[in-house]
Structure formats: structure tokens, C-alpha cells
Amino acid sequence: MPVPAIETENLSKEYPHGFLHLKKKTSLEGLTMQVKEGEVFGLLGPNGAGKSTTIKLLMGIIFPTAGSARMLGKLVSDVAMHRDIGYLPEQPYFYDYLTATEVLDYFAQFHGYSAAERRERVQKMLRKVGLETAGKIQLRKYSKGMLQRVGLAQAILHDPNLVILDEPMSGLDPVGRREVRDIILELKKAGKTILFSTHILPDAEMLCDRVGVIAGGKLRGVGAPGAIVGVQATGMEIAFELPEGVAMAEQIQGKAEKTGAAYRIGVSESELYRTLEELQAAGARIVSVTQIKPTLEDFFMELVGKDRAQASAVEVSAQ
Amino acid sequence: MKGGRAAAWVLLLSLPVGFAGVWRLQGKIDAARDAMHQEADEVLVRSPKLMKVLTGEYATLAADIYWTRAVQYYGGKRLGQDTNLDSLWPLLDLATTLDPHLLPAYRFGATFLSQPEPRGAGRPDLAVKLLERGLEANPEYWRLNQDLGNVYYLEVRDFSKAGDAYLEGSKKPGAASWMKVMAARFLEGESRETSAMLWREVYESSTDEKLKENARINLQLLRADDDMEHLNEIAQQFATRAGRPPHSMREIIQAGLISGEALDPLGYAYVIGAGGKARISEKSPLFKQQTIYRRPL
Amino acid sequence: MSRVLIVARNTFREAVRDRVLYNLLFFALLMIASAVIVGQISMAIETVVMISLGLSAISLIGLLIAVFTGVGLVSKEIDKRTLHAVLARPLRRWEFLLGKFAGLAVTLAVNTAAMTAGLFAALWLVKHSLERGDAVVLAAAYFILLKLMLVVALAMLFSCFTSPLLAILFTGGLYLAGLFVSELRSLQVTTLTPQMQKFFAVLSYVLPNFGNYDVMGAAAHGRKIAGMLILHNTLYTILYCAIVLGIAAMIFSRKDLK
């Protein structure tokens, strides 16, 4: 059985909270999941859900209060394994007295490249993220979007097999986002494993092989974007028109929505044929019958609605 | 917009006037404060032990600062003809507690603490205390023995202690050979010649301007004393011959008892004063010094 | 070990580019220049004043840098989150800490050396010659450097588990306490029980003894310093720093970052 690129088991994080640190807030509870080698895995969830906490636990920035995690088969405490991992922190910030070239060169030094190799790689990376003209400018003068690009560059500069990106699209304009998407796709084509967290759903739907939804510190569901929404019960939507003078049956009238000239009514699968008959009997003209497929967004919003109170209370790690 | 520019110009031009006003006011304030300043003298923290704790590693630097203040304090008082030297001891006490190796402070203190008012603080006891502390911290420095001996000889008038001090100093490596000689002279008691030798040594060994000046004036006065003693003998001869004391120098010169005018060490002619005794001319700066430094010898 | 050097080199580069350092250096040189003037006011002790003032300036400014920059070494990285990308490297946390320390240590060494050179230049200007006795000033400057290393180590330790402000206060406070540590040993208070006396005695050995490094008096008057003192102070500093940094590394390795 191939070793999963990322594997967590009951990973949990509690923070001491309140006066005298007597209370505890749970930031992440019992996270058990796997990311397969070569896949693009999206970590979705509202703010404060625990996505960043998960990633920070993986990268050894914070330490779990329970459970364990492995990356590339080794425990996350084994820092040597970072050689093969790239990480883009959320809202990255780098030494602002250095230039982009210097920062990338500094990071590259830890991977044991020769000076010539480093120069080459750094230039390549700058070009890849569109910063080749800004290489000599001090980072203190960089915009948020430019910093995000530097962040991406330092994450992939050593050609790691596993790339972890925390909110890679934040701070970028649509062009930038497209570029990042392209880079992710490029990495995927090269066989890399990618884990990224985001709350931009269309991106997740487009890029990810699988997504994991985290809310309120718990994993709510894992699967292909389509599969997740497929999990929820669907229904059928009937669109119909009422010719002049035809009245609607009472039960139907209450539930139908009028948009323009047509009416729409949502019914469960079991009620479908009965409703159709009623409509037919009433003299309505059936325009279409379609399956209601909730989008990832609906799923998401439902989740958020349920857990909003909990979610906002949970994000304790000092932002 | 125009109003704004005009306002800016008015402000710009009024600035120098404003500062001139501030300057003059400050002058007035300074004068007023100086008048107040007389009584409150400047040593705020009097406890040397406390200062040592407070200054920690920077004690040596603090000592230098106190020493500088002591020198300026003394100089200021002398310039202002102020005879109150109460703060001299506290300042020197602080300086030498903070840095026991600050040799100039001991030497300076010995002189100006011990000499009587108005020249010094008139506290030879404190001078002895200071020097003993200096000797304890710097036992190899024989010059402090010299200073101690001087205080005993000149101010305390304890000639045996003076001799002892010089004797002890003479045993230390590097001590000048005259230390032994002076010790012997002290034990014989006070004499003008001994004092002159003493001041000459002080003059030569001092690096401090004030100490040098002090020694020089003492030497000059001793010279003057010698001269006047000699002149008085001549005046006596005149009196014997003329049957009365001389009324002026001219009389003595005319009598052929002296070839020309006798000049004091600063070049001014001695005059004959009341009772036919020689004295220093009022025109000579030495006259004033005499009243300041005068002590029966 | 080479990873430590990578971090150290970068830390040095950061200190050099931090313009605050240049201002301090300039200020120190200015102080030394003024020492030459002060020497004129006070008779007979020009060199004493210059050396005391110069060494005091070197010490004070070095302390300011050691405390404030030392605390910032870790706290700034945590606050600004520049640390995250660095720790994503195959770099152990203790290597990072040690590298930071080494970088600042080298910076302080360069600084102290530059200021001491300035002091010697001023001395030469006034005395027009330098004698063997002046070597004591070198020893005094070396001791200042040792002292600064220890302060940096302490600053780093405190900044690993308290806020930057508290770290600055604790480090400063421990430094001041360390100056009077030897007094603890000779505490002559008769109301103390033998256990309390023992306690104070133990405390006096555990606390860092910054009084060890105070030779300004000797340097100012050109008095000799025992060679053994130089050796022992060096060893003491190395040992104590190792202990402090070891504790800091342990704390830092387990610390949740932001």
C-alpha cells in the first residue's frame, strides 16, 4: 500500500483560555484524514474552522495536544523531512530589509545548493511567479500580492514533492489567482502532492481531486467535490406555466415560486409524480423537470449557518 | 489661499523676535536663579556609599565627574571671593570613595582642605582623613606621604608626625631622596628654610595648575619674608646711626646702606612702613596675597 | 552546524542593515570625542576621564543593543511571523536559536571592536603615545564584550516565554541584580537565620555575576589585570551562556508559535 503523503490520526489541539488559563478552547478535535500521493487536496471551511490550525500542526509551528500526524511517512516532529516539503504560510511576511532575491537565496541555502545552483533556481522562481523585475527591491516595499508570490516562490523553490499552501489565493487579483491556479495545476501534472486551504469555493471545485470540509474544529466530510454535494439529499424542481385563466391547486400554490412567467416548485423525489399529475390536472404546462443539485456553496453555507456561533468562538490561536 | 501664505510669512518673520524674547527672558531667569543659588550648595547625594551602589560599574566615571565638580567648585568660589568651601569635602569624599585611585583628588584635597580660610576650607583634620584613605588604597604612592607630612607641618603644627610621615614615605620604592632629609628637618622644628624647601618640592611635583600657583605664592611670600628680615636689619642700622627709625626707602638708600631699591619677588619695590619696618608695596600683587596667605611665620 | 551559520550570517546582515545600529555607533564615537574635551576641564586626569568615559559609553551602548536587539531576535520573528517560512526549512529550532545568538554576538563584537578602536585613537590623540599599560583598556573592552554575550543570552531566554516588554525589564533587572551579587554573599544581617544565609549564598552563585567584568577602575589607572582573570571570565561566560541558551532552546522547541 502506498504511503499517504499526509496522514493524521485523531489530531487535536486545545488552547488554555481565560483568566489564569483555566479553561480550554478546542481549536481542532480528533482530525483523522489522509492525503494521497499525487492528489490535490483542498481544505475548506469558514474562518476559524481549524484549517490553519491543521496546517500549522503539520508544519510543526504548533504542537498537538492529542493525536499524531505524519508527512511522507515520517512523524511531523522530524524536521529533516522538510527537505521535501514546501510551505506557504497564511499572510506571509518576510524579512523586510532583504530583497526578494536575497530572501529566496537565504531559504535556498538550507537545502544545500551551491551558489551557482541557487542563483539559477532563484531566478527561475522569480520568473515563474512573475517577480523577475522586482527581484532587487526590498521586501518592505512589496504589496501584499507581491509578498504572496514570494511566498509561493519560496515554497516550491527546492522542488518539493509535497506542497502545503495556506490560503494561496488571498491578496491576489484575478490575474494573480489565475497564475497561482496554473502553477498548482503544473505541479499536479508533475506528480506533486498539494494540500491547500481556501474558502474560495470555485477554486476548490476546479482544482481539487478531493476536499475536506472543516468547521467548528471538526472534519465534516471528505470526498471529491462532486461527491460531497451528492451526499446531500437532492430533490426535483418542476418549472411550469399556467395558461390564462387557470387556477392553481391550493397545495401547490403555497409552495410555488414565481419567476417571470414561470413558476417553480421543489419537491422530493417521492412526491414528484403526484405533483406532476396535479399540475397536469390543473392545466399547467410543464416546462422542465430538473434535479436539484446543491452546490458546494450550499453545503458550505448550511454548515456555516449551523456552526457560525461555534466557529467564531473556536478560533483562539492569536491572529 | 492668499490668507494662508500671508499667515505663513507673518509667522516666519515673528520667529526671530520670539526667540530674542526667549533669550532675554532666560538671561533674567538665570540672574534671578544665581542670586538664589548662593545658599544651596550643589551636593545633592551626600552618602558616598549610596553613590557607589547607584553608579555600579560606572563608579570610576562618576568619580571623575565629582572630581571635576570639586575643581570647578573651588575655582568658582575663589573667583567669586566666596569664602564658604563647605561642599569641598563632600565632593572629594565622594570622588575618592567612588575611585580610591584618583590620586589628583587626594593631592588637591590635602592642600585646599587644610589651608585656613579664605584660601582653603580650614579643615586640616579632613585633609588628614583624606590622605590616610588615599594611602590605604595606594600604599605605593609616596607622594601622599609627602602631602600628609606637609599638612602636619604647615597646618596642624605637629612636627613629629610630619617627620614620621616623610620618613615612612622615604622608605617606599621610588621615593625621592630628599624625603629623608626633610624628615630630619621637620623634627628640628619649624623654619623658613624648611618651609621653602617644602614648597619648592610641591611646586615641582604638582601637575595641577592651582596647586602649582599655591606653592609659588607661598614661596614668593617666604622670599619676601627673608627680604624683609634682611631689610629690617638694615633699617635697624639706620636707626642706630640716625637715632630714629627711617621714614622711607629713599633715606636708607641715601644713607648708603643699600645700593639700590630692593624689589620683591614680583619686581615691586619694598617700602618702609609704620615703625620703620619694611613692608610690601600696595602696588604689588603680593600685598593682597599677603593678607590672604598671611600667617605668622 | 552549517545551518546555524546560515542563520547567523543572515542575522548579522540584518543587524548591519538596521540603521539604528549606525546611529548608536556614531553616538558612541561622539561620546569618545567629547571625552577628549572633558579631559581639558579637569586637571591632571585627562586619560583617566577619557578611558572611563569611553569604556562607559561602549558598555552602555553595548548594553542597549544587547538588551533591545537581543529580545527582538526572537520576539520580532514571532510577532511578524517571519519565523514560519524559516521553520519550514529542514532546520531544528535550537539551530535557529543558536544561529540568531551567534549572529548578534558577532555584531556586538564588531561594534565593540570599532568603538574600542575609536577610544584608542582618541587616547593617542591626547597622549601621542601608547604604552603597555594601555593594554588593560583592551582587556576591559573584552570583558565588556563577554558581559554583552551573557546579556544577549538572557534576553533571548526571556523573550522565549514572555512578552518583549517583560523580557526587556527582566533582562535589565537581572543585569542590575547581577552587579551586586557578590554583596549577597557577604550579607551581614544578623536577623537572618542560617538557612536564609545559605539561601542567599546559593542564590549569589546561581545568579549571573556581572560584577566579574568590572575592571574600569583598573583600566582607567593603567593597573594590571591578572591573566587568570581573563581566562576564568571567558570560561564563566561560555559556561553560563551555554546553560542559558540550553534552557532557551528547550523552551523554544516546545513553544506554540502564533
Side-chain angles (χ1 to χ4, degrees):
Chain A
M1 194 160 64
V3 176
I6 300 179
E7 186 179 2
T8 74
E9 194 176 313
N10 196 34
L11 197 60
S12 314
K13 181 67 185 166
E14 280 179 348
Y15 284 101
H17 184 70
F19 190 67
L20 290 185
H21 287 195
L22 289 173
K23 290 186 271 189
K24 287 221 190 313
K25 289 285 179 176
T26 309
S27 190
L28 192 69
E29 200 178 316
L31 178 71
T32 302
M33 71 172 203
Q34 290 178 350
V35 174
K36 297 202 252 279
E37 201 182 309
E39 74 172 333
V40 179
F41 191 98
L43 215 50
L44 298 176
N47 280 333
K51 313 189 294 296
S52 267
T53 306
T54 305
I55 291 184
K56 287 183 189 164
L57 283 166
L58 287 174
M59 290 310 299
I61 290 173
I62 55 182
F63 300 99
T65 40
S68 66
R70 283 175 191 273
M71 289 199 288
L72 300 176
K74 305 205 184 69
L75 283 173
V76 295
S77 50
D78 180 2
V79 160
M81 159 250 306
H82 284 184
R83 226 176 271 285
D84 209 7
I85 298 178
Y87 171 52
L88 168 63
E90 172 181 36
Q91 289 170 340
Y93 196 83
F94 305 102
Y95 302 115
D96 54 9
Y97 56 92
L98 294 179
T99 67
T101 316
E102 286 170 335
V103 160
L104 292 177
D105 181 79
Y106 175 54
F107 288 142
Q109 286 178 36
F110 290 100
H111 298 280
Y113 297 120
S114 72
E117 272 181 310
R118 287 202 305 264
R119 255 196 307 269
E120 198 195 307
R121 273 188 186 260
V122 166
Q123 282 311 308
K124 201 167 86 173
M125 281 303 125
L126 286 174
R127 244 175 292 137
K128 201 180 190 96
V129 298
L131 284 175
E132 67 268 21
T133 48
K136 295 263 166 54
I137 301 175
Q138 280 189 331
L139 290 180
R140 68 170 100 242
K141 304 206 175 101
Y142 270 33
S143 70
K144 190 154 172 273
M146 290 164 90
L147 283 176
Q148 191 75 8
R149 290 169 201 242
V150 174
L152 192 55
Q154 61 85 29
I156 56 179
L157 124 88
H158 48 293
D159 201 26
N161 277 323
L162 172 57
V163 181
I164 298 179
L165 311 165
D166 199 344
E167 309 271 358
M169 316 290 197
S170 91
L172 295 175
D173 61 10
V175 175
R177 296 227 294 273
R178 159 79 149 268
E179 287 172 355
V180 172
R181 275 208 306 272
D182 290 343
I183 292 179
I184 293 180
L185 286 171
E186 202 182 306
L187 289 169
K188 176 178 164 116
K189 230 190 284 193
K192 315 288 186 195
T193 312
I194 300 166
L195 169 70
F196 73 95
S197 74
T198 181
H199 43 241
I200 303 173
L201 300 170
D203 291 337
E205 282 179 329
M206 198 187 332
L207 290 169
C208 299
D209 295 324
R210 288 196 302 154
V211 296
V213 182
I214 296 188
K218 296 203 187 78
L219 184 66
R220 302 289 168 168
V222 177
I228 282 207
V229 299
V231 163
Q232 295 295 321
T234 61
M236 308 298 278
E237 189 182 66
I238 306 170
F240 62 89
E241 283 177 350
L242 285 177
E244 293 272 328
V246 177
M248 252 197 306
E250 272 168 34
Q251 317 93 295
I252 295 179
Q253 188 155 24
K255 289 199 288 182
E257 253 176 62
K258 189 168 177 153
T259 42
Y263 290 85
R264 294 170 182 277
I265 180 170
V267 295
S268 65
E269 258 189 80
S270 48
E271 297 174 322
L272 179 63
Y273 291 105
R274 187 163 41 88
T275 317
L276 280 174
E277 275 170 20
E278 282 173 20
L279 284 171
Q280 199 181 35
R285 190 162 68 86
I286 308 288
V287 174
S288 68
V289 174
T290 44
Q291 190 183 37
I292 300 177
K293 270 178 72 163
T295 57
L296 196 52
E297 189 174 336
D298 297 328
F299 176 69
F300 200 78
M301 294 307 291
E302 192 194 321
L303 215 56
V304 172
K306 253 198 290 191
D307 289 311
R308 196 157 202 76
Q310 220 186 359
S312 54
V314 153
E315 184 68 281
V316 166
S317 59
Q319 288 285 359
Chain B
M1 280 311 108
K2 246 201 194 158
R5 289 204 76 186
W9 275 109
V10 170
L11 189 63
L12 202 62
L13 291 171
S14 58
L15 277 180
V17 176
F19 273 112
V22 169
W23 195 316
R24 293 204 68 187
L25 267 175
Q26 185 62 53
K28 295 225 166 71
I29 294 173
D30 282 339
R33 291 196 56 163
D34 276 340
M36 284 178 8
H37 204 49
Q38 294 292 358
E39 305 321 315
D41 251 330
E42 308 126 44
V43 190
L44 291 172
V45 181
R46 294 242 165 178
S47 161
K49 287 216 176 79
L50 179 61
M51 265 330 255
K52 193 143 187 146
V53 168
L54 283 180
T55 52
E57 299 181 301
Y58 305 100
T60 316
L61 185 61
D64 294 341
I65 294 175
Y66 274 115
W67 163 235
T68 309
R69 279 179 68 187
V71 171
Q72 307 214 299
Y73 170 78
Y74 179 77
K77 290 286 181 175
R78 301 289 297 118
L79 275 179
Q81 314 278 25
D82 191 337
T83 59
N84 177 345
L85 283 174
D86 281 348
S87 289
L88 189 59
W89 163 248
L91 286 171
L92 290 172
D93 188 16
L94 280 159
T96 52
T97 307
L98 291 169
D99 183 4
H101 300 301
L102 198 55
L103 298 169
Y106 295 116
R107 310 212 65 193
F108 189 91
T111 308
F112 295 115
L113 276 174
S114 61
Q115 290 184 352
E117 293 174 2
R119 213 178 346 139
R123 295 295 305 272
D125 58 319
L126 291 176
V128 167
K129 186 168 164 183
L130 190 67
L131 285 167
E132 283 175 347
R133 178 194 294 170
L135 278 166
E136 200 182 314
N138 308 277
E140 75 290 351
Y141 196 56
W142 56 270
R143 290 234 177 250
L144 293 177
N145 293 97
Q146 175 189 1
D147 291 338
L148 186 60
N150 291 353
V151 172
Y152 276 128
Y153 175 82
L154 290 167
E155 310 300 340
V156 181
R157 326 296 297 284
D158 185 335
F159 304 118
S160 88
K161 282 216 177 108
D164 287 342
Y166 263 68
L167 209 54
E168 196 180 310
S170 71
K171 297 185 193 140
K172 298 183 178 173
S177 46
W178 44 259
M179 287 288 279
K180 261 221 178 85
V181 174
M182 291 299 287
R185 296 193 74 102
F186 285 162
L187 290 169
E188 284 165 18
E190 201 173 352
S191 81
R192 205 178 293 144
E193 205 181 323
T194 305
S195 302
M197 280 179 73
L198 182 155
W199 283 117
R200 206 166 300 126
E201 293 303 340
V202 172
Y203 179 80
E204 250 130 54
S205 72
S206 290
T207 46
D208 189 282
E209 265 315 303
K210 288 189 172 54
L211 288 176
K212 259 187 145 66
E213 191 201 331
N214 190 59
R216 189 178 58 238
I217 292 173
N218 272 297
L219 276 172
Q220 286 165 352
L221 287 171
L222 284 171
R223 253 284 295 291
D225 280 345
D226 258 350
D227 292 344
M228 286 191 290
E229 192 179 317
H230 190 58
L231 282 172
N232 281 339
E233 280 170 16
I234 297 178
Q236 190 55 47
Q237 285 177 9
F238 180 94
T240 314
R241 278 201 213 161
R244 60 158 177 87
H247 289 166
S248 72
M249 260 325 207
R250 220 175 344 114
E251 283 189 344
I252 300 183
I253 297 172
Q254 281 173 345
L257 290 167
I258 201 176
S259 50
E261 284 202 318
L263 299 178
D264 74 12
L266 291 180
Y268 294 86
Y270 291 105
V271 297
I272 297 293
K277 298 273 183 208
R279 66 165 176 79
I280 300 173
S281 156
E282 303 91 0
K283 295 195 209 120
S284 169
L286 222 47
F287 184 76
K288 188 149 160 233
Q289 299 288 24
Q290 191 179 48
T291 53
I292 297 174
Y293 281 70
R294 199 27 116 203
R295 192 207 319 109
L297 206 65
Chain C
M1 219 3 93
S2 66
R3 289 189 289 268
V4 171
L5 287 175
I6 297 173
V7 177
R9 262 210 305 264
N10 192 53
T11 308
F12 182 73
R13 179 165 57 173
E14 174 177 7
V16 164
R17 291 206 190 168
D18 185 352
R19 284 173 294 215
V20 178
L21 237 60
Y22 286 122
N23 290 343
L24 290 177
L25 198 61
F26 175 70
F27 174 66
L29 291 172
L30 201 66
M31 277 200 89
I32 292 175
S34 67
V36 177
I37 302 171
V38 167
Q40 306 296 328
I41 302 175
S42 208
M43 304 271 146
I45 53 168
E46 289 145 317
T47 50
V48 174
V49 167
M50 263 206 328
I51 295 175
S52 331
L53 192 56
L55 286 176
S56 298
I58 295 174
S59 172
L60 259 175
I61 287 166
L63 275 173
L64 284 174
I65 299 176
V67 173
F68 286 93
T69 310
V71 164
L73 281 179
V74 175
S75 350
K76 216 165 61 163
E77 294 247 15
I78 295 179
D79 273 341
K80 293 209 174 148
R81 307 213 258 173
T82 47
L83 200 45
H84 292 200
V86 180
L87 290 181
R89 260 65 234 174
L91 176 74
R92 293 192 185 75
R93 288 209 187 177
W94 67 261
E95 290 172 326
F96 174 76
L97 208 65
L98 198 56
K100 282 277 178 177
F101 175 77
L104 186 53
V106 171
T107 308
L108 284 170
V110 169
N111 242 18
T112 307
M115 291 198 274
T116 308
L119 178 55
F120 272 105
L123 270 178
W124 192 85
L125 263 168
V126 169
K127 293 206 307 183
H128 301 296
S129 72
L130 291 174
E131 326 150 335
R132 294 193 73 196
D134 296 326
V136 184
V137 177
L138 263 180
Y142 173 63
F143 280 4
I144 291 177
L145 183 60
L146 287 179
K147 172 175 79 182
L148 296 178
M149 304 275 163
L150 191 46
V151 170
V152 171
L154 287 169
M156 289 186 81
L157 172 62
F158 287 122
S159 65
C160 279
F161 64 88
T162 54
S163 75
L165 180 62
L166 282 179
I168 290 173
L169 289 175
F170 284 150
T171 309
L174 198 55
Y175 170 71
L176 285 174
L179 289 174
F180 304 110
V181 150
S182 34
E183 317 272 326
L184 272 182
R185 232 164 279 151
S186 50
L187 216 51
Q188 300 286 353
V189 185
T190 50
T191 55
L192 284 180
T193 64
Q195 290 94 322
M196 281 300 275
Q197 290 218 317
K198 194 106 200 278
F199 169 71
F200 278 124
V202 170
L203 197 64
S204 77
Y205 282 107
V206 166
L207 288 177
N209 188 342
F210 284 104
N212 291 345
Y213 306 106
D214 178 12
V215 291
M216 206 188 302
H221 295 288
R223 299 175 102 85
K224 281 201 291 239
I225 294 180
M228 285 311 271
L229 181 61
I230 299 179
L231 177 66
H232 287 146
N233 267 351
T234 308
L235 290 174
Y236 180 87
T237 309
I238 293 176
L239 190 57
Y240 209 104
C241 278
I243 295 173
V244 170
L245 288 174
I247 301 175
M250 273 199 320
I251 296 177
F252 189 57
S253 296
R254 287 163 180 59
K255 186 182 162 77
D256 282 337
L257 302 172
K258 276 207 290 197

